[in-house]
């Protein structure tokens, strides 16, 4: 029976073996681990796309939170100015009663809470994706090194066999 190295048998084409790049492609097409390598590449690409979309959600939530906080500060300044104009200096100095809750400010606060939830949820997801991406990177690197090592041994065997 024919000897295989890395799961790949002899190449009987001298033309292929004379060009190392061509020989590598020939080997890779028949290499049993190549399917897993390609699957991991596709998975990595999908994880990157997911991480990009998740990162955009995190940034959008952060921007919304900052916008809402600025809006609340602006509403408070406007109300304080209105009170001063109306002669209610005591309220302008922060002595505000419970009946002084602004409905618009309350809506913005609720929106901030919702955006914080979105931010935290997606930030957590982003951290998980980072770990998954790093893991797939390590697997790919390990597979690439094994593929190269198996090819080197296979190529040497083929060249020695035909010389």
């Amino acid at each position: 029976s024919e000897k295989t190295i890395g799961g790949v048998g002899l190449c009987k084409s001298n033309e292929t073996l004379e060009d190392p790049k061509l020989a590598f492609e020939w080997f890779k097409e028949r290499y049993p681990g190549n399917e897993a390598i390609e699957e991991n590449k596709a998975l990595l690409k999908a994880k990157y796309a997911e991480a990009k979309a998740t990162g955009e959600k995190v940034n959008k939530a952060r921007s919304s939170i900052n916008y809402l906080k600025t809006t609340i500060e602006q509403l408070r300044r406007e109300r304080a100015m209105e009170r001063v104009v109306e002669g209610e200096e005591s309220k302008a100095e922060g002595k505000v009663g419970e009946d002084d809750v602004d409905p618009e400010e309350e809506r913005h606060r609720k929106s901030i809470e919702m955006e914080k939830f979105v931010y935290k949820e997606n930030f957590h997801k982003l951290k998980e994706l980072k770990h998954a991406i790093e893991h797939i990177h390590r697997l790919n690197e390990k597979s690439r090194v094994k593929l190269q090592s198996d090819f080197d041994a296979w190529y040497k065997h083929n060249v020695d066999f035909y010389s």
Side-chain angles (χ1 to χ4, degrees):
S1 121
E2 186 178 282
K3 181 178 181 185
T4 65
I5 296 178
V8 180
L10 284 173
C11 173
K12 295 174 177 68
S13 165
N14 281 335
E15 187 181 315
T16 301
L17 291 172
E18 286 171 6
D19 180 358
K21 285 183 182 178
L22 198 60
F24 183 72
E25 287 307 311
W26 190 95
F27 176 82
K28 205 165 98 172
E29 285 173 11
R30 290 153 182 81
Y31 188 66
N34 197 47
E35 190 177 318
I37 291 171
E38 293 305 317
E39 285 174 6
N40 280 341
K41 280 183 187 177
L43 181 61
L44 190 60
K45 189 175 179 180
K47 292 287 182 192
Y48 271 128
E50 188 180 352
K52 183 179 178 189
T54 304
E56 288 170 0
K57 288 178 187 174
V58 165
N59 288 333
K60 184 176 178 275
R62 184 185 311 123
S63 294
S64 293
I65 290 167
N66 289 335
Y67 170 77
L68 290 164
K69 283 181 177 179
T70 303
T71 304
I72 288 172
E73 289 169 11
Q74 186 178 345
L75 287 170
R76 287 179 180 170
R77 279 193 302 273
E78 288 171 7
R79 282 199 324 269
M81 290 301 292
E82 287 171 9
R83 286 189 204 110
V84 169
V85 170
E86 294 169 4
E88 296 180 41
E89 286 84 2
S90 64
K91 285 188 175 182
E93 292 169 7
K95 297 173 183 151
V96 187
E98 286 185 32
D99 60 329
D100 204 277
V101 175
D102 181 45
E104 192 175 356
E105 182 177 330
E106 197 53 39
R107 274 197 313 279
H108 287 316
R109 285 181 200 224
K110 286 179 180 169
S111 294
I112 287 174
E113 290 310 310
M114 288 190 307
E115 291 295 339
K116 280 183 178 179
F117 176 77
V118 169
Y119 177 87
K120 287 175 185 173
E121 189 176 67
N122 284 291
F123 189 81
H124 179 70
K125 184 177 180 183
L126 205 52
K127 283 175 78 173
E128 289 174 352
L129 283 167
K130 181 183 181 220
H131 291 299
I133 287 169
E134 288 170 348
H135 177 70
I136 296 167
H137 262 300
R138 284 190 299 276
L139 288 176
N140 279 354
E141 184 58 23
K142 211 169 160 183
S143 297
R144 191 195 62 73
V145 168
K146 175 120 174 69
L147 169 68
Q148 187 64 52
S149 169
D150 287 348
F151 169 74
D152 291 343
W154 174 87
Y155 190 71
K156 182 183 181 329
H157 176 73
N158 273 269
V159 170
D160 290 350
F161 186 82
Y162 290 112
S163 47

